[in-house]
C-alpha cells in the first residue's frame, strides 16, 4: 500500500492533461468506449458506416466506458480518461511489490530496488499520461504472473483456471497477451506436467478464439481502402510471410538487431546511438537474472522470452511494444547483479568490477529517469501534437460544414470527438 501511495503521489505531481487523440490509439480507445457506453457495441462511430472495430481488443474500452456514464459531457470529461491510467500504474506498483515478496520470495530491499526503478521509468509514464492500454496490460500481466507461479507450485484445476482468466484479461487488453498464455503453458511443460500444460494450451485456444473469430468476421465488412488503418494485422502479417519467405527471413535477422537495441534503450535511458552498445555487458547479467527468477517461477522468464519471439516476428519496430515488459527486464538485471555479487563472483577484483558496474547502472537509470520525469519529458511529444490537433480542429470547424466527411488518417478519432465531423 505504501508503494501504491508513493506512485500515485508521484503521478499527481508529474501528470499533465492532454486531449484524447494526440497520438492515435488513445483517441480510438475513447471513441470505442463512448460507443460501448451508448450501447452501440465496439464500433468506429466516427467513421461513415460505423463499422465494427476488429483492431483493438475490447477490455480497455470497456474499462473507460464508465467515464462516459458518470461524466457524459465532452471535452469536459477528457482529463478523466488519462487519469484512469494513474490509478492503474499505482496499483501495478503495489501488486508488483507484493508479487516479488510473496510469490518469488525476494527480500524487501531487493524487491524495493526492482520496483522502484520500474515505476520511475519515464517511458512507462509516457504511455500512462494519455488513455493508452499499456498500464492496464501491466496490471493484468502481474496478475497472470502471480497466478502462473501459484499454478506451478501446486496441481489444482482451480489454479489452472485462474491463470487462464488472468491471461485472458491480458490478451483482451493487448494482443501481445498471447505470449502470457504461451509462457504459462511452457512453464508447466518444463516441469513435466504434460497434462496440465495441455489443458492450458486448450484453454488458451478457447480464451483466444472468440475474439480472433469475431475480429476476422468484423474485418470482412471494412472497405479495402480502410483496412490498413481500421483492420487487424494478423491476416496481413501471414500474407507477408508467405508472399516472399526469403525476404521475410532477411527481415527477421535485421529485426533481431533492432529488438536488441530497443531492449538496451529501455535498460539504459538517455543513452542513444552508437554508445548504446556499451550496454551489451548487461545482456549476460539479464540472462543470469532470468535464470535465477526461473528457479522461483518459470512463468516469468518464459513469458518474457515468448514476448520477444512475437516481437521478432512483428514488422513494427516501436519501443512502445516493449514498454509494458520494461519492469521485467529491469527485474532481470537487478536479480542478475544480485546473484553475481552474492554467489558467482569470488571476493576480490571480480566482485569489485561487478559491484562497480551494478552501481553505475543503478545510478544512471535512476538519475536519468528522475530528471526526465520531473522536467516534463514524458509529455514532450504530446505537447507538440496537442498544438497540431488544436490547429486541425480549428481548420476543420472553420472550413468544413457540420456534416462533412474529412480525410484524416492520423487524427480522425480526435477530430470526430472535438468537431463531430466524420
Amino acid at each position: 500500500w505504501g508503494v501504491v501511495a508513493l506512485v500515485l503521489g508521484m503521478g499527481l505531481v508529474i501528470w499533465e492533461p492532454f486531449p484524447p487523440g494526440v497520438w492515435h490509439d488513445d483517441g480510438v480507445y475513447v471513441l470505442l468506449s463512448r460507443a460501448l457506453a451508448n450501447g452501440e457495441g465496439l464500433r468506429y462511430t466516427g467513421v461513415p458506416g460505423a463499422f465494427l472495430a476488429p483492431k483493438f481488443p475490447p477490455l480497455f474500452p470497456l474499462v473507460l466506458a464508465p467515464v462516459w456514464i458518470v461524466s457524459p459531457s465532452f471535452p469536459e470529461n477528457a482529463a478523466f480518461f488519462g487519469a484512469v491510467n494513474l490509478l492503474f500504474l499505482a496499483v501495478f506498483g503495489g501488486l508488483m511489490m507484493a508479487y516479488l515478496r510473496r510469490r518469488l520470495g525476494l527480500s524487501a530491499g531487493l524487491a524495493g530496488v526492482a520496483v522502484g526503478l520500474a515505476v520511475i521509468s519515464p517511458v512507462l509514464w509516457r504511455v500512462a499520461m494519455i488513455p493508452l492500454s499499456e498500464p492496464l496490460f501491466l496490471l493484468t500481466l502481474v496478475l497472470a504472473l502471480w497466478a502462473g507461479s501459484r499454478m506451478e507450485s501446486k496441481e489444482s484445476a482451480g489454479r489452472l483456471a485462474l491463470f487462464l482468466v488472468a491471461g485472458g484479461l491480458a490478451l483482451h487488453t493487448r494482443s501481445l497477451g498471447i505470449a502470457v498464455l504461451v509462457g504459462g503453458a511452457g512453464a508447466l511443460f518444463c516441469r513435466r506436467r504434460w497434462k496440465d500444460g495441455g489443458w492450458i494450451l486448450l484453454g488458451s485456444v478457447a480464451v483466444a478464439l472468440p475474439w480472433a473469430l469475431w475480429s476476422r468476421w468484423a474485418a470482412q465488412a471494412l472497405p479495402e481502402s480502410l483496412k490498413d488503418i481500421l483492420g487487424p494485422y494478423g491476416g496481413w502479417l501471414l500474407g507477408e510471410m508467405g508472399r516472399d519467405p526469403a525476404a521475410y527471413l532477411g527481415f527477421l535477422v535485421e529485426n533481431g538487431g533492432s529488438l536488441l537495441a530497443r531492449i538496451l534503450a529501455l535498460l539504459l535511458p538517455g543513452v542513444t546511438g552508437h554508445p548504446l552498445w556499451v550496454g551489451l555487458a548487461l545482456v549476460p547479467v539479464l540472462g543470469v537474472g532470468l535464470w535465477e527468477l526461473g528457479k522461483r517461477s518459470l512463468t516469468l522468464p518464459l513469458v518474457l522470452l515468448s514476448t520477444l519471439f512475437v516481437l521478432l516476428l512483428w514488422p513494427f519496430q516501436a519501443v512502445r511494444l516493449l514498454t509494458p515488459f520494461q519492469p521485467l527486464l529491469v527485474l532481470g538485471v537487478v536479480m542478475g547483479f544480485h546473484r553475481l555479487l552474492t554467489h558467482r563472483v569470488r571476493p576480490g577484483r571480480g566482485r569489485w568490477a561487478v559491484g562497480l558496474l551494478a552501481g553505475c547502472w543503478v545510478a544512471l537509470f535512476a538519475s536519468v529517469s528522475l530528471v526526465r520525469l520531473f522536467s516534463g519529458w514524458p509529455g514532450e511529444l504530446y505537447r507538440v501534437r496537442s498544438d497540431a490537433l488544436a490547429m486541425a480542429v480549428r481548420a476543420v470547424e472553420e472550413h468544413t460544414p457540420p456534416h462533412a466527411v474529412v480525410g484524416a488518417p492520423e487524427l480522425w478519432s480526435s477530430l470526430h470527438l472535438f468537431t463531430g465531423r466524420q
Side-chain angles (χ1 to χ4, degrees):
W1 287 108
V3 174
V4 172
L6 285 172
V7 176
L8 189 59
M10 183 172 64
L12 292 174
V13 170
I14 66 174
W15 184 68
E16 300 176 57
F18 293 104
V22 291
W23 202 245
H24 177 267
D25 293 7
D26 55 321
V28 181
Y29 281 127
V30 171
L31 199 67
L32 295 177
S33 68
R34 186 181 67 177
L36 289 169
N38 293 338
E40 298 169 299
L42 197 68
R43 291 183 176 275
Y44 298 122
T45 51
V47 178
F51 301 104
L52 293 170
K55 187 175 186 176
F56 296 85
L59 187 58
F60 189 55
L62 276 170
V63 169
L64 293 181
V67 174
W68 288 103
I69 297 172
V70 174
S71 178
S73 179
F74 187 87
E76 288 74 16
N77 63 359
F80 295 120
F81 295 108
V84 166
N85 276 345
L86 299 187
L87 183 60
F88 287 149
L89 206 53
V91 176
F92 154 74
L95 276 178
M96 185 73 174
M97 185 71 175
Y99 164 68
L100 296 182
R101 296 280 285 124
R102 299 180 187 179
R103 295 308 311 171
L104 300 190
L106 271 61
S107 66
L110 192 58
V113 170
V115 175
L117 292 176
V119 297
I120 64 172
S121 166
V123 180
L124 212 56
W125 282 100
R126 171 169 279 177
V127 298
M129 283 196 166
I130 57 177
L132 293 172
S133 61
E134 279 82 358
L136 178 60
F137 180 77
L138 267 172
L139 206 54
T140 62
L141 176 62
V142 175
L143 290 174
L145 293 175
W146 195 315
S149 68
R150 295 183 75 249
M151 174 182 69
E152 289 181 63
S153 64
K154 181 180 178 181
E155 293 187 23
S156 164
R159 295 188 177 197
L160 295 179
L162 191 61
F163 173 76
L164 286 173
V165 170
L169 291 174
L171 174 65
H172 288 85
T173 303
R174 290 191 65 79
S175 299
L176 263 177
I178 191 65
V180 175
L181 294 167
V182 171
L188 294 178
F189 286 136
C190 288
R191 295 192 183 279
R192 300 189 178 185
R193 289 170 55 184
W194 311 110
K195 183 179 178 180
D196 287 346
W199 280 118
I200 289 295
L201 282 183
L202 288 174
S204 298
V205 172
V207 166
L209 199 57
W211 167 252
L213 292 177
W214 184 89
S215 178
R216 183 176 181 181
W217 169 77
Q220 293 175 356
L222 291 172
E224 198 64 35
S225 58
L226 294 181
K227 284 185 177 179
D228 181 48
I229 296 175
L230 305 181
Y233 295 123
W236 169 80
L237 180 57
L238 291 175
E240 287 295 301
M241 290 179 179
R243 184 173 58 85
D244 191 345
Y248 186 74
L249 286 174
F251 158 77
L252 291 182
V253 174
E254 178 184 343
N255 197 26
S258 171
L259 185 58
L260 177 60
R262 282 175 277 163
I263 292 171
L264 296 178
L266 289 175
L267 292 175
L268 295 169
V271 181
T272 58
H274 184 68
L276 186 66
W277 295 102
V278 301
L280 286 174
L282 293 177
V283 174
V285 178
L286 176 61
V288 170
L290 293 178
W291 182 267
E292 181 66 19
L293 289 166
K295 295 178 182 178
R296 301 161 190 255
S297 173
L298 279 168
T299 302
L300 190 154
L302 290 180
V303 165
L304 183 57
L305 292 175
S306 299
T307 299
L308 296 179
F309 178 73
V310 173
L311 293 180
L312 180 66
L313 302 177
W314 205 243
F316 301 110
Q317 302 176 14
V319 74
R320 180 191 157 196
L321 297 175
L322 259 178
T323 297
F325 299 92
Q326 186 187 33
L328 302 189
L329 294 169
V330 169
L331 172 63
V333 174
V334 170
M335 285 297 295
F337 277 126
H338 179 261
R339 177 67 181 181
L340 290 171
L341 288 172
T342 55
H343 294 85
R344 294 294 183 185
V345 182
R346 294 179 181 179
R349 292 182 179 179
R351 182 168 293 183
W352 181 85
V354 172
L356 180 62
L357 180 60
C360 290
W361 175 71
V362 171
L364 171 72
F365 195 100
S367 60
V368 173
S369 296
L370 289 172
V371 167
R372 283 183 166 183
L373 273 186
F374 293 101
S375 65
W377 183 88
E380 202 172 72
L381 293 177
Y382 302 145
R383 293 185 209 106
V384 175
R385 294 181 69 92
S386 294
D387 292 341
L389 174 60
M391 289 188 290
V393 167
R394 285 197 300 271
V396 167
E397 288 180 333
E398 291 174 5
H399 299 288
T400 66
H403 300 292
V405 177
V406 179
E410 183 64 18
L411 298 173
W412 65 269
S413 57
S414 48
L415 287 176
H416 174 71
L417 286 167
F418 282 99
T419 70
R421 272 67 163 181
Q422 292 188 317

